[in-house]
Amino acid sequence: MLACGTVPVKDLPLISGRAVFEGEFLSVNGFKVPCAQGTAAMIGGALSVADCLKLEPPQALVVGDTGRGQGSYLLYEFLIQRVSTLSPDVLVLHYCLPDMTLMRKLCESVRSCAKRPLMIADAASMYAAKAAGLATEFDIFTPDLCEMAFLADPDASHPAYINKHLFEADIAKVPELVAAAYQLKSAARLLLVKGAVDYIAEDGKVVDIVSEPNIPELEAIGGTGDVITGIVSALAYAGLELREAAKTSALVNRMAGKLARPSPATRVWQVISQLPAALEQRRVTC
Amino acid sequence: MNLGGKVMVLKKAKVKAESGGLLLFEKVEDAVRAEEILSEADYTVRLVAPPPTFRMGCDLAIEINLVEQIGIGRLFREKGVNYLKVVPLKGAGRLLDVVKVTEFKDATMVKAGNMKVTFDKNKGTILNVSGGGCPDIPYLSASLIGKKLSDAPRPKDIGFTLCAMMMDRAVVECLELWRKRSTS
């Protein structure tokens, strides 16, 4: 499994290797990265699951980028050149500057892999895939409610431009948004829509819902959605059927959130720290 | 699969941008100067003739990655470049201007587009930032969390992307709510 994305460390070169979760930090190849919102939280979630299930640890591929895009371009370029050689079983694409042209080239390179990786995208990698019309090349997207509205909007190339009435849709409208996104071919094979209620959708229809335990504070905590992406990626990597992996990840994230006894000020690494206990409670095995 | 723990050095490849957005100008010379400045700053851009539906000023426009519009706008202000507006090539062309507010016991969360900013109702400090997906968001979050709303840097002043612009809208709304409550 190769988990890729940018991290907010200025001038951090493109680095790869096994990541280690060290509470407030993630260590990758000797470099310390804050285990906060974004790619680091996603990798932290994946690592916890891999550790608990005694899987081969995910490989992290991260680069510093504070918004100008230079790190993102290096990441795209590396993957475009090397993905067919690396041929990961699972490829997770996360925070980066969304670039339709480079995402298109990356998907072309992925098609040349001897064995097609399971393709998972969240954050701006999902934005780029949708905007470039490449959503159907992916197996899992993990949008929140606003991002689900973005996938259902035929014109928006970024969630900042979604139609106002779609943004105003509440969580109960997710089935309609899901149907619209699949109709537009703007959805991955499976959608895990993260929110007050988590919806799992395949082939245009909601196939499962997870709503308990309900911890409203989790929505305020930056990175909890990223953790779900990491969990579902690791569970899929472990061989769980995608629908089961999605349902389990939604449940386990909620349980870890509950165990963290969160407030709106809680940090995401405190939720990640509870994942082993949550997985144990859920008795996740593969 | 093992990447061997390497640090990789690569150069950015020059590719033709699939832009998503257009910068419109009143005068041809503004467009030409803007293209030079953006290219020097390593933005991937292209001078084009705008489609008739977008034509406002001159017959030249610049294709940009729509997501990068705040960083580009700031660069233009620094360099004194005049432009009319940024328009997305698809869609209604309007940025989301509505927000949603969620109340917790001691905190308020404001959602603007894909961004959520939560502040302490009693102290006016930023407690958390969630949502988004562009690379400046984790950096901006780290810069804002723990600061008073009135002292925190504005995401539009230090961010580069549309996610940062949405974060800025959420911060502005948080600040308005905080000020209204502290004066009432």
Side-chain angles (χ1 to χ4, degrees):
Chain A
M1 171 174 162
L2 183 58
C4 314
T6 58
V7 291
V9 182
K10 217 170 184 176
D11 302 325
L12 181 76
L14 183 65
I15 55 172
S16 72
R18 184 181 169 182
V20 180
F21 174 61
E22 297 174 348
E24 288 188 61
F25 291 92
L26 204 64
S27 170
V28 183
N29 192 16
F31 291 88
K32 286 205 175 212
V33 173
C35 190
Q37 177 187 20
T39 304
M42 179 272 287
I43 294 173
L47 275 175
S48 287
V49 174
D51 281 351
C52 290
L53 301 184
K54 299 189 173 22
L55 305 172
E56 186 187 335
Q59 292 285 308
L61 180 66
V62 297
V63 63
D65 194 333
T66 55
R68 193 41 200 86
Q70 279 91 345
S72 301
Y73 295 129
L74 293 178
L75 180 65
Y76 279 120
E77 201 55 43
F78 178 83
L79 287 170
I80 289 163
Q81 288 178 20
R82 311 272 181 89
V83 73
S84 62
T85 313
L86 296 169
S87 203
D89 296 321
V90 177
L91 179 62
V92 191
L93 303 174
H94 209 239
Y95 272 60
C96 67
L97 193 75
D99 188 300
M100 292 184 275
T101 306
L102 294 173
M103 181 57 81
R104 195 178 301 289
K105 287 167 81 88
L106 174 53
C107 286
E108 281 168 19
S109 296
V110 167
R111 279 184 226 122
S112 65
C113 289
K115 184 186 167 210
R116 181 185 172 278
L118 191 81
M119 297 279 284
I120 299 172
D122 182 43
S125 293
M126 175 174 68
Y127 306 168
K130 184 264 183 180
L134 296 164
T136 55
E137 307 258 344
F138 286 78
D139 298 285
I140 303 177
F141 279 172
T142 52
D144 66 9
L145 177 59
C146 174
E147 290 167 338
M148 188 60 243
F150 160 67
L151 297 178
D153 189 319
D155 295 324
S157 58
H158 187 280
Y161 277 102
I162 58 174
N163 188 301
K164 191 173 160 184
H165 86 270
L166 290 173
F167 175 69
E168 286 172 340
D170 66 25
I171 196 81
K173 297 277 186 193
V174 166
E176 289 170 37
L177 298 174
V178 160
Y182 277 94
Q183 182 92 35
L184 293 166
K185 299 194 184 306
S186 294
R189 184 152 65 100
L190 179 140
L191 295 177
L192 168 51
V193 187
K194 306 169 289 195
V197 177
D198 299 316
Y199 289 85
I200 296 148
E202 285 180 314
D203 301 325
K205 289 183 184 148
V206 172
V207 293
D208 231 323
I209 289 173
V210 180
S211 58
E212 295 295 336
N214 181 22
I215 320 288
E217 291 81 1
L218 289 180
E219 192 181 1
I221 301 169
T224 48
D226 305 320
V227 174
I228 295 183
T229 306
I231 300 171
V232 73
S233 302
L235 291 174
Y237 171 53
L240 256 67
E241 190 267 329
L242 295 193
R243 191 194 296 191
E244 184 58 28
K247 183 175 183 179
T248 303
S249 61
L251 269 169
V252 164
N253 191 61
R254 283 167 181 267
M255 289 163 74
K258 186 179 180 186
L259 291 169
R261 302 166 66 90
S263 75
T266 297
R267 299 283 169 264
V268 73
W269 64 267
Q270 296 170 294
V271 176
I272 295 170
S273 299
Q274 297 298 331
L275 280 174
L279 288 159
E280 174 64 29
Q281 279 191 17
R282 175 73 186 159
R283 297 187 191 286
V284 176
T285 53
C286 297
Chain B
M1 182 199 61
N2 193 327
L3 295 176
K6 289 177 188 162
V7 176
M8 276 78 63
V9 179
L10 288 168
K11 282 192 175 172
K12 176 186 169 184
K14 285 283 178 194
V15 292
K16 177 182 163 292
E18 192 174 349
S19 60
L22 279 184
L23 273 167
L24 304 179
F25 297 87
E26 182 72 40
K27 297 174 186 166
V28 169
E29 54 266 35
D30 288 338
V32 171
R33 180 161 174 254
E35 194 271 341
E36 283 171 6
I37 285 169
L38 291 172
S39 296
E40 274 172 23
D42 209 25
Y43 282 99
T44 305
V45 297
R46 196 164 62 127
L47 273 172
V48 294
T53 45
F54 293 124
R55 203 157 288 178
M56 291 182 73
C58 71
D59 289 341
L60 271 184
I62 296 179
E63 280 187 2
I64 60 166
N65 184 343
L66 190 63
V67 174
E68 297 182 300
Q69 62 183 271
I70 26 178
I72 288 173
R74 191 164 60 242
L75 181 64
F76 282 178
R77 282 192 297 281
E78 286 165 12
K79 301 280 185 183
V81 177
N82 298 313
Y83 68 103
L84 293 171
K85 64 192 291 194
V86 177
V87 290
L89 285 165
K90 284 174 79 180
R94 274 192 297 276
L95 280 164
L96 262 179
D97 57 1
V98 287
V99 298
K100 294 179 184 174
V101 178
T102 304
E103 298 292 348
F104 297 102
K105 183 167 166 264
D106 294 315
T108 300
M109 177 172 71
V110 174
K111 298 182 203 177
N114 55 339
M115 294 306 309
K116 301 158 200 170
V117 175
T118 302
F119 69 95
D120 185 307
K121 285 179 185 177
N122 303 310
K123 297 176 184 165
T125 48
I126 296 171
L127 297 175
N128 239 315
V129 176
S130 66
C134 290
D136 45 359
I137 293 308
Y139 173 74
L140 292 170
S141 299
S143 307
L144 268 66
I145 289 172
K147 293 206 168 66
K148 283 194 173 289
L149 282 162
S150 50
D151 300 338
R154 288 280 299 271
K156 75 177 178 58
D157 293 334
I158 57 172
F160 294 89
T161 67
L162 283 172
C163 287
M165 192 178 279
M166 289 294 104
M167 191 198 280
D168 194 75
R169 292 210 165 157
V171 167
V172 168
E173 183 67 21
C174 287
L175 196 54
E176 278 184 25
L177 287 171
W178 165 247
R179 282 183 175 148
K180 271 185 207 160
R181 287 170 188 172
S182 357
T183 52
S184 63

